[in-house]
Amino acid sequence: GDSVTQMEGPVTLSEEAFLTINCTYTATGYPSLFWYVQYPGEGLQLLLKATKADDKGSNKGFEATYRKETTSFHLEKGSVQVSDSAVYFCALIPGGFKTIFGAGTRLFVKA
Amino acid sequence: DVKVTQSSRYLVKRTGEKVFLECVQDMDHENMFWYRQDPGLGLRLIYFSYDVKMKEKGDIPEGYSVSREKKERFSLILESASTNQTSMYLCASSLTGANEKLFFGSGTQLSVL
C-alpha cells in the first residue's frame, strides 16, 4: 500500500547548520507530496508541497524537490535557526483527499 | 484567522467511560478528519467525513465512532475507553478538491487510566 518513510530522529544541529531530512515514499500513480511542521504544543501546519515530478516546494527558507525517479522528497534548509526546532512530517496524498503521514522527525537546534 | 478548534487540550478518563472529543472548524470545509498521533508512529487516520452525515473508516477505526450532524462540527467517540487509546488526538479539515492541504487543531491529549 501507499506509505511514507522518513529518517528517524532526533536530529540535533547547531544554529546556522545545514539541514536535510530524508523522505521516501511508496505510491502508485502520481501522488502529491507535502511537508508539515509541528511546533511544541501546536497542531501540524503545512510547510510546503509539490504536486508533480520535478516541482520544488519552498517556504521560510525550506525547500524540497519531488524526485519521481528516486521516489523521494527530502527537506533541506541552508541555515537553521533555534526557532526551527519542531517535529517535521513528510506526507503524501495518493489520490483523492486522504493524507498519509510518515512517523515524523524531531529537530533540535542549539544556539 | 481560520481555525480548527478542539474542545479540550487535556483530558483524563477512566477505563470503560464513554468519551467525546469535539472539533469545530470555521472555514466551511467539506472534509474533516480525526487522527491519532503516537511517538514513532506518526499520524494514523481513524475516521474521516466528506459531507454532513457521511463518514468513512480510516486505517484504525476499531473502538471509535464519529458523528457529523453539522458541516462545521465533527465528533470522535470512544464507546468504552481503554488504556491503549491513551494518545494525542488531532482533528483536521480541508476543502473538497483533490490534494488539498489539511488545517489542524491543536490536539487533545487523552489519558485513559
Side-chain angles (χ1 to χ4, degrees), chain B residues 2-18:
Chain B
V2 294
K3 262 191 171 175
V4 178
T5 303
Q6 295 185 230
S7 53
S8 304
R9 184 72 181 94
Y10 298 96
L11 212 51
V12 179
K13 296 292 181 181
R14 297 230 174 258
T15 304
E17 278 192 77
K18 191 169 185 175

Side-chain angles (χ1 to χ4, degrees), chain A residues 40-75:
Chain A
E42 298 182 12
L44 282 71
Q45 56 186 275
L46 180 70
L47 182 58
L48 54 85
K49 77 178 205 182
T51 56
K52 61 183 190 293
D54 300 324
D55 263 4
K56 178 185 282 188
S58 61
N59 186 27
K60 300 182 182 180
F62 291 89
E63 293 183 339
T65 301
Y66 189 142
R67 302 283 188 204
K68 190 156 180 65
E69 63 276 13
T70 55
T71 61
S72 65
F73 193 53
H74 305 320
L75 183 68

Side-chain angles (χ1 to χ4, degrees), chain A residues 31-32 34 36 38 41-46 49 51 87 89 93-104, chain B residues 9 31 33 35 37 40-43 45 48 50 58-59 90 94 96-106:
Chain A
S32 289
F34 303 79
Y36 284 84
Q38 184 179 34
E42 298 182 12
L44 282 71
Q45 56 186 275
L46 180 70
K49 77 178 205 182
T51 56
V87 182
F89 291 90
I93 298 180
F97 46 76
K98 180 179 167 183
T99 304
I100 296 167
F101 288 87
Chain B
R9 184 72 181 94
N31 303 328
F33 307 80
Y35 287 87
Q37 180 181 6
L41 298 177
L43 277 70
L45 183 63
F48 63 100
Y50 51 87
D59 300 316
L90 292 169
S94 73
T96 197
N99 306 318
E100 290 289 339
K101 70 177 184 180
L102 295 171
F103 292 83
F104 281 88
S106 298

